[in-house]
Amino acid sequence: MRVATWNVNSVKQRHGRLLEWLDSRRPDVVCLQELKMTDDAFATLIGPDLEERGYEFATAGQPAWNGSALLSKVGLQDVVVGIPGAPEYEGIVEGRAISGVCGAGDGDPGIRVHSLYTPNGREIDSDHYAYKLEWLAALVAQVKADTVPQLVCGDMNIAPTDEDVFDPAAFTGHTHVTPPERDAIAALEALGLRDVVRERWPHEQVFSYWDYRAGMFNKNLGMRIDLILASGTVADRTAAAWIDRQARKGKGPSDHAPVMLDLDTAPDGDIGPMVPPPSAGRVSPKGAKLPQTKD
């Protein structure tokens, strides 16, 4: 089984790219984030294309912003939209989470797959940062309460360690790297979830997001904020875990690349952490800044 998670940053803008990618990589289960459309709009725009390819789908849409989806060729049962107990933001329950059980049958309980778009947090000590931490706490409680094997997938908007950013000094004073955010990832791991990409590539520089600005992608100045966390029994089946960097290239890409997990069977044997490898290679720039940083 191949599982993928991808923040597409607008299905409408990347409709064609998404379909081409599905045809090329042929994932069995796909978690999408940042749909930027309602459930009905998603079903109208891309529903027939997905059904033609054998996917069932469920969405937690939202007009203009946010939105998550779950696609599956291996069954989709017990769908839960949202996170029980998750906070609202400015009076709105945002479309940031959806989960469902995939691969169940013949005595197999299947895997509950979560497609998540964690709040950004914006600025430390902002109300959005507090909202992010409350949302993450609700996620941890939801995962803890479920007894089915799980995959927690999505744009978590958290770099788990300093190894997951191009230069820790550049992120001082910014969100995505603060101890409370990283504590939420640690809390999920304390429940038995394992970071399959980092486990597979413990010493490699691996990124999933590169800012559109300042040539960050070509310079390989990125972050690893898109994650797949797997229950122990699922993680034990990992044959390959990698970043599909190819999908970040070309005209009009998302600023995120898909994260891929192959269970039981690896594609042509084991492969590298980012495919293809970045032309800039491993980077350790001193003094490089985030594009939004002001002097």
Side-chain angles (χ1 to χ4, degrees), residues 107-191:
D108 187 337
I111 303 169
R112 176 164 293 281
V113 182
H114 300 259
S115 179
L116 305 171
Y117 182 34
T118 298
N120 178 282
R122 299 179 185 170
E123 296 182 358
I124 297 172
D125 297 328
S126 70
D127 59 349
H128 204 264
Y129 180 80
Y131 164 57
K132 180 178 189 175
L133 297 183
E134 291 177 22
W135 191 95
L136 287 164
L139 170 64
V140 172
Q142 180 191 30
V143 172
K144 184 177 181 180
D146 206 321
T147 57
V148 176
Q150 298 185 67
L151 283 171
V152 173
C153 311
D155 178 0
M156 301 302 291
N157 270 316
I158 302 168
T161 72
D162 283 352
E163 297 299 315
D164 298 307
V165 298
F166 68 83
D167 181 8
F171 290 84
T172 300
H174 293 273
T175 59
H176 294 59
V177 299
T178 65
E181 293 168 289
R182 288 176 168 175
D183 286 348
I185 299 297
L188 290 168
E189 292 177 333
L191 298 177

Side-chain angles (χ1 to χ4, degrees), residues 206-217:
V206 190
F207 300 139
S208 65
Y209 165 85
W210 299 261
D211 197 293
Y212 286 125
R213 298 167 290 181
M216 302 289 274
F217 180 65

Side-chain angles (χ1 to χ4, degrees), residues 85-120:
E88 298 179 350
Y89 185 68
E90 295 183 341
I92 297 173
V93 177
E94 297 185 310
R96 293 186 174 274
I98 189 165
S99 70
V101 175
C102 302
D106 296 326
D108 187 337
I111 303 169
R112 176 164 293 281
V113 182
H114 300 259
S115 179
L116 305 171
Y117 182 34
T118 298
N120 178 282

Side-chain angles (χ1 to χ4, degrees), residues 16-130:
R17 286 184 68 112
L18 174 57
L19 295 178
E20 289 175 3
W21 177 79
L22 290 172
D23 291 340
S24 172
R25 294 305 190 189
R26 299 184 180 277
D28 300 293
V29 178
V30 185
C31 301
L32 299 176
Q33 298 88 43
E34 225 175 332
L35 309 181
K36 294 184 176 179
M37 57 175 49
T38 63
D39 297 334
D40 288 344
F42 183 94
T44 299
L45 175 67
I46 200 171
D49 297 311
L50 296 176
E51 291 169 356
E52 180 182 347
R53 288 162 172 80
Y55 289 105
E56 299 178 69
F57 64 89
T59 55
Q62 187 175 340
W65 304 106
N66 308 316
S68 295
L70 188 57
L71 325 178
S72 177
K73 289 183 176 181
V74 293
L76 185 56
Q77 303 173 17
D78 193 18
V79 172
V80 177
V81 176
I83 297 174
E88 298 179 350
Y89 185 68
E90 295 183 341
I92 297 173
V93 177
E94 297 185 310
R96 293 186 174 274
I98 189 165
S99 70
V101 175
C102 302
D106 296 326
D108 187 337
I111 303 169
R112 176 164 293 281
V113 182
H114 300 259
S115 179
L116 305 171
Y117 182 34
T118 298
N120 178 282
R122 299 179 185 170
E123 296 182 358
I124 297 172
D125 297 328
S126 70
D127 59 349
H128 204 264
Y129 180 80

